[in-house]
Amino acid sequence: MTLTLTVSDDVRALAPGFTHVAVEAHGLVNGPSSEAGSALLDGAARRLAVRLNGRAPHEDPHMAAWRETYTAFGSKPSRTRNSAEALAKRALSGAGLPRINLLVDLYNAISVAHLIPVGGEDVDRIEGGMRLIRATGEEDFVTVAGGEETVEHPDAGEVVWRDDAGVTCRRWNWRQGPRTRLTERTTSGIFLLESLAPMPVAEVTAAAAELAELLAKFSPGADIAVRAPESSA
């Protein structure tokens, strides 16, 4: 079954250069972080360093475009960085990239290597389709703070991903909620790669193909489909 993904007209108007490519996979095998996954993350950090050639991540034209878009919907991009910039910053620091679980490590490696925000959601935990909208401020975002489950609400006008149960990711691709995240029990996932102009659509499409190849390598026999790019242009 194909998960429905829709982008609202007001988000398209906010970011006319927005493109997303989805990779949907069923029959996945997840597990703890492995040596092979760690090697991919280390390789992605090296690819990132070559790509940036001494620049800070926010100086990359694609990351600069995300900063402009975050500012346009009222977020402070230096405080709430998009997921790709945040990972890139860690990759270039002494801390290095986190190891979460195999599936998360795979899509984080693609995100860092290509400087593209990539998110992964457990299809079996999503209620209804997923929608990218500008929030009213009344939506529920269930998260964890201090070890306790708590409910937050996005700012009015904030761009969020949501399903029928509530917000799944705040500030477009800044913070994912725990309800739909990929765990070691995940067998079906949707991976969303998001880009803005000036990144060529061909580059985000190539990154999605690379992710699909990795998923097939680590989950032989999985049913994996790369959807055609959907653009706001």
Side-chain angles (χ1 to χ4, degrees):
M1 183 176 178
T2 300
L3 182 72
T4 301
L5 298 168
T6 57
V7 179
S8 69
D9 288 342
D10 52 357
V11 171
R12 293 183 185 278
L14 176 74
F18 174 59
T19 298
H20 69 274
V21 181
V23 180
E24 187 166 351
H26 300 271
L28 294 168
V29 179
N30 200 8
S33 296
S34 65
E35 289 186 9
S38 289
L40 285 168
L41 289 168
D42 291 339
R46 290 191 293 270
R47 290 168 67 182
L48 172 69
V50 171
R51 183 189 192 94
L52 290 174
N53 192 26
R55 294 174 299 169
H58 69 268
E59 295 175 306
D60 177 84
H62 189 215
M63 295 297 93
W66 276 107
R67 283 192 166 219
E68 290 175 6
T69 301
Y70 268 48
T71 300
F73 66 78
S75 289
K76 295 181 178 179
S78 60
R79 185 167 59 88
T80 55
R81 297 177 176 88
N82 74 77
S83 62
E85 184 183 332
L87 278 174
K89 188 175 175 65
R90 285 200 62 171
L92 298 173
S93 73
L97 289 165
R99 274 57 172 167
I100 309 299
N101 59 56
L102 180 58
L103 289 177
V104 175
D105 293 349
L106 295 185
Y107 80 71
N108 278 349
I110 295 298
S111 176
V112 169
H114 292 272
L115 261 186
I116 296 172
V118 184
E121 308 279 356
D122 189 322
V123 170
D124 294 329
R125 294 175 178 269
I126 295 170
E127 298 190 21
M130 291 183 61
R131 308 184 293 282
L132 187 66
I133 64 166
R134 298 197 72 173
T136 64
E138 297 178 357
E139 297 87 354
D140 288 344
F141 177 70
V142 180
T143 187
V144 176
E148 299 285 335
E149 185 176 284
T150 184
V151 178
E152 297 177 355
H153 302 283
D155 300 327
E158 181 182 323
V159 177
V160 299
W161 279 101
R162 69 157 301 162
D163 65 1
D164 289 350
V167 173
T168 57
C169 193
R170 286 199 60 189
R171 296 196 176 101
W172 206 315
N173 44 39
W174 167 62
R175 177 184 291 171
Q176 182 187 32
R179 173 170 59 89
T180 58
R181 68 187 173 193
L182 303 178
T183 70
E184 292 182 19
R185 296 182 297 279
T186 297
T187 58
S188 295
I190 187 86
F191 303 85
L192 194 63
L193 296 85
E194 301 179 299
S195 68
L196 293 171
M199 175 168 278
V201 173
E203 185 163 353
V204 67
T205 303
E210 186 178 343
L211 175 58
E213 290 176 4
L214 286 176
L215 293 172
K217 175 181 178 180
F218 286 90
S219 294
D223 182 8
I224 301 167
V226 180
R227 302 190 193 176
E230 295 189 28
S231 176
S232 297

